[in-house]
Amino acid sequence: MQTQPKASHFIDGDYVEDTNGDRIEVVYPATGEVIATVHAATPAVIEQAITAAHKAQKVWASMTGTERGRVLRRAADIMRLRNHDLSVLETWDTGKPYQETSVADATSGADALEYFGGLAGSLTGEHIQLGENWVYTRREPLGVCVGIGAWNYPTQIACWKGAPALACGNAMIFKPSENTPLCALKVAEILMEAGAPAGIYNVVQGMGAVGAALVTDPRVDKVSLTGSVPTGRKVYAAAAEGIKHVTMELGGKSPLVIFDDADLEDAVGGAIMANFYSSGQVCSNGTRVFVQKGIRKRFVARLSERLGNAVFGDPMDPATSFGPLVSARQLEIVMGYIAKGVEEGATLVRGGERLDQPGFWLTPAIFDNVTDDMTIAREEIFGPVMSVLEFKDEDEVIARANDTEFGLSAGVFTNDLKRAHRVIAQLEAGTCYINSYNDAPVEAPFGGMKNSGVGRENSKAAIEHYSQLKTVFVRMGPVEAPF
Ligand code: NDP
């Protein structure tokens, strides 16, 4: 498969190159080989993207919602038809195994395009009768939206931000992470093929500086970031300067609480989904696994046994179920945390070893006997490292689970129905699970509380974050004035 794109950027309906921009080498995480090269956007490229988006947005917003929705739904169909090729590209870009990418990336991007395509024709304001006078509201687009993505789900993030933005009549300029620049270009190509006007969805490459230049441009009306809390702070502050709308999908250190009446196999399965999918590089991961005293030993033993079934190997082989980390830098960060866990006295039950082969491979790690104050229990690692913490009772575990700056996700495993809802109601997290973990259907709002973010992606809730209301008061009688 051709991994080198035709050019670095996609602007105004076509590929654009400017080799004056810094060179970005795209590395295949499974082998460390360079598979493509792109260039960061220069000021001229950024200008071209903003000008194109600004112009196209007016045309797009003048179409009916049904017409816009038709384009998005056509794009969804094309994505599904090309799922194989898009999944292979996602694997080249991220290193995630094809077993995952073929069911979780282009497919969830297509879900977003289909869902918001379906909603586009039903976006309305309301009518408020006030005696003989009345008010109506118009739901209007924001204008030009900037999306900035993390590297773990490059296709999905490009669609989760693009689909609601476009449904509401906005234009999008998307900047992928410099680690994974390839997939968003395909999303742009597909949208054009589906009939979107040139300039309505643009992709520009670059590091943080390109993101910062986009965020501070006065012609940009909204910024949606998926990234870490420190980056979120910078981007939120820069957007505040221009009083821009924001959505912040940031990091987490989410709790997964397993009570001793839970089904052990399900709880182990949930903990695996909460820690090791995408080699642990998932923002909503439940990396603090609180297990009630009575079942902790059995839980750890069974978990360790099941991790033995993970298949490492060529990520393109559908049998492979565990891939490498995204980059040498990420591998170094995660290994640093594993060393810290050992140093601070946690028990490394299994994993955490570098595989002796090219690429950024690390076996999934389970730490037992972790305490709340340890670094591995406080900081987001963003790699395959699970911490098991023992607890005795409900009130204690709720307090400990909430003792964090983050609030992205939380999960509870129990067969006690009342307890499940009672505990979830008290956990400070935006996206929660009962007897499950890490499901993210497009119909459900997704996002964080506390430092994990602002705003929601997916579902009807996202519409609120990509549109604004205009209130129009209509007087039918004479105007009364004091003089
Ligand atoms: P980063 O915060 O490092 O980067 C996120 C994006 O922001 C990248 O495209 C980056 O560019 C860009 N960026 C960096 N600095 C600036 C700046 N000053 N102004 C504008 N843009 C900037 O995150 P990672 O890419 O390392 O992704 C991992 C993080 O993302 C984790 O914390 C994870 O939890 C979070 N995440 C959150 C999700 C959610 O939905 N809540 C989902 C997925 C991940 P570049 O990297 O090219 O320099």
Side-chain angles (χ1 to χ4, degrees):
M1 177 192 231
Q2 170 70 283
T3 46
Q4 176 63 42
K6 264 198 250 167
S8 301
H9 318 288
F10 195 97
I11 299 173
D12 209 7
D14 211 347
Y15 277 94
V16 168
E17 190 56 273
D18 181 350
T19 52
N20 291 318
D22 290 343
R23 234 174 110 85
I24 299 172
E25 288 187 336
V26 189
V27 172
Y28 182 38
T31 60
E33 286 166 277
V34 175
I35 53 163
T37 304
V38 295
H39 293 268
T42 56
V45 166
I46 294 172
E47 182 58 35
Q48 205 180 333
I50 296 175
T51 306
H54 209 254
K55 191 165 143 231
Q57 191 266 325
K58 308 274 179 248
V59 180
W60 182 241
S62 71
M63 290 162 59
T64 67
T66 303
E67 286 166 337
R68 290 198 299 268
R70 194 175 302 136
V71 171
L72 298 183
R73 285 183 291 107
R74 239 186 254 134
D77 290 344
I78 300 173
M79 281 191 89
R80 288 215 176 84
L81 276 175
R82 295 197 193 143
N83 184 44
H84 171 73
D85 286 357
L86 294 169
S87 305
V88 169
L89 189 67
E90 176 96 17
T91 294
W92 282 117
D93 225 3
T94 62
K96 291 185 292 180
Y98 178 82
Q99 190 188 90
E100 277 189 29
T101 57
S102 57
V103 296
D105 292 283
T107 51
S108 73
D111 283 354
L113 290 162
E114 184 175 3
Y115 176 84
F116 287 105
L119 273 188
S122 318
L123 302 178
T124 57
E126 61 179 341
H127 169 99
I128 306 158
Q129 195 69 41
L130 299 164
E132 66 169 357
N133 301 324
W134 42 284
V135 164
Y136 67 94
T137 61
R138 290 165 49 90
R139 184 167 290 283
E140 298 190 349
L142 301 173
V144 174
C145 301
V146 162
I148 301 177
W151 40 257
N152 56 346
Y153 282 85
T155 306
Q156 183 189 83
I157 296 171
C159 293
W160 278 19
K161 298 190 188 308
L166 266 54
C168 293
N170 303 286
M172 167 67 59
I173 303 172
F174 187 78
K175 188 203 85 68
S177 160
E178 69 180 277
N179 285 317
T180 52
L182 305 179
C183 297
L185 293 167
K186 290 290 168 198
V187 174
E189 260 185 46
I190 288 170
L191 279 162
M192 294 305 125
E193 202 177 320
I200 211 66
Y201 190 97
N202 309 279
V203 177
V204 298
Q205 308 294 351
M207 283 67 100
V210 171
L214 289 167
V215 172
T216 47
D217 192 285
R219 291 164 291 176
V220 168
D221 302 285
K222 153 130 202 170
V223 181
S224 177
L225 169 79
T226 296
S228 61
V229 173
T231 304
R233 275 204 186 90
K234 285 190 226 159
V235 174
Y236 202 174
E241 200 52 43
I243 320 285
K244 295 180 202 292
H245 297 256
V246 294
T247 299
M248 295 279 144
E249 290 292 350
L250 308 177
K253 189 75 196 175
S254 301
L256 170 57
V257 180
I258 298 171
F259 286 95
D260 58 11
D261 68 336
D263 180 293
L264 186 68
E265 275 316 299
D266 279 351
V268 168
I272 290 172
M273 291 310 290
N275 282 270
F276 300 123
Y277 204 66
S278 302
S279 301
Q281 304 165 115
V282 179
C283 52
S284 46
N285 272 359
T287 47
R288 287 184 297 144
V289 182
F290 291 95
V291 188
Q292 202 161 15
K293 194 167 182 217
I295 55 160
R296 198 195 92 232
K297 286 209 168 80
R298 271 190 297 139
F299 171 85
V300 171
R302 182 64 184 132
L303 178 70
S304 179
E305 200 178 8
R306 277 182 61 177
L307 281 200
N309 299 330
V311 180
F312 303 82
D314 176 2
M316 297 297 175
D317 180 345
T320 298
S321 59
F322 198 90
L325 293 176
V326 77
S327 64
R329 170 93 190 104
Q330 193 62 18
L331 176 64
E332 193 187 317
I333 292 172
V334 177
M335 285 176 61
Y337 276 110
I338 290 170
K340 194 99 185 155
V342 173
E343 192 188 305
E344 291 183 5
T347 312
L348 183 58
V349 177
R350 77 175 287 149
E353 296 134 9
R354 253 211 92 158
L355 292 187
D356 186 20
Q357 62 185 65
F360 318 123
W361 295 86
L362 183 70
T363 56
I366 311 171
F367 275 106
D368 195 9
N369 299 313
V370 178
T371 54
D372 298 352
D373 54 341
M374 288 180 184
T375 309
I376 54 168
R378 303 215 66 82
E379 297 181 12
E380 183 183 45
I381 299 175
F382 222 58
V385 183
M386 179 197 290
S387 292
V388 177
L389 305 99
E390 184 178 288
F391 75 95
K392 290 201 188 68
D393 64 56
E394 194 178 306
D395 288 345
E396 170 211 336
V397 79
I398 291 168
R400 290 170 63 194
N402 286 337
D403 182 20
T404 167
E405 63 167 314
F406 300 107
L408 186 54
S409 298
V412 174
F413 274 80
T414 176
N415 276 319
D416 179 338
L417 196 65
K418 285 186 188 165
R419 173 158 67 189
H421 295 289
R422 187 169 64 228
V423 171
I424 281 292
Q426 293 174 80
L427 292 176
E428 297 162 356
T431 310
C432 297
Y433 306 92
I434 293 176
N435 293 335
S436 188
Y437 209 92
N438 265 346
D439 314 73
V442 68
E443 297 87 349
F446 181 87
M449 293 178 176
K450 293 157 83 175
N451 285 356
S452 291
V454 173
R456 291 291 178 269
E457 294 198 305
N458 288 343
S459 79
K460 284 181 260 177
I463 298 298
E464 299 297 331
H465 300 288
Y466 283 100
S467 61
Q468 56 193 338
L469 289 178
K470 178 181 279 174
T471 302
V472 183
F473 187 101
V474 183
R475 183 176 294 284
M476 300 300 283
V479 174
E480 281 181 27
F483 49 83

